[in-house]
Amino acid sequence: MLREKIIQELQDIPEDKLTQIYDLIHYFRLGLDLENQQLKPRTPGLLQGKLGEAFFEPLSEEELQQWETDI
């Protein structure tokens, strides 16, 4: 019933104003999606499986240089 009322109200809005209404509805809905994502508790923990030997090998000089900053 409420959805039908909203649709009826939209019918009476001038075409050149529909972009503003769309933006309002779209970003409101995105905010709800973000709100719902934040409500789900995170469960940090260890990764499943095993690490390969390559994980423990030192990085090459080229890879190390990529981490350098010019501060």
Side-chain angles (χ1 to χ4, degrees):
M1 180 71 176
L2 187 56
R3 189 178 305 264
E4 291 170 6
K5 286 183 178 181
I6 292 170
I7 291 171
Q8 182 58 45
E9 290 293 333
L10 288 172
Q11 298 297 325
D12 297 331
I13 295 177
E15 191 74 27
D16 62 328
K17 299 294 182 182
L18 288 178
T19 300
Q20 295 172 356
I21 298 296
Y22 172 80
D23 287 344
L24 174 74
I25 293 169
H26 178 71
Y27 290 109
F28 180 81
R29 187 188 54 78
L30 290 179
L32 292 176
D33 290 347
L34 183 60
E35 207 174 80
N36 288 337
Q37 288 175 2
Q38 291 174 349
L39 293 176
K40 296 177 186 171
R42 293 182 63 209
T43 53
L46 298 175
L47 293 174
Q48 299 295 317
K50 298 189 182 286
L51 296 173
E53 289 298 317
F55 178 82
F56 299 100
E57 294 175 9
L59 296 174
S60 69
E61 187 61 32
E62 180 181 326
E63 289 174 303
L64 288 173
Q65 291 298 320
Q66 292 175 4
W67 288 96
E68 294 294 322
T69 61
D70 295 327
I71 296 177

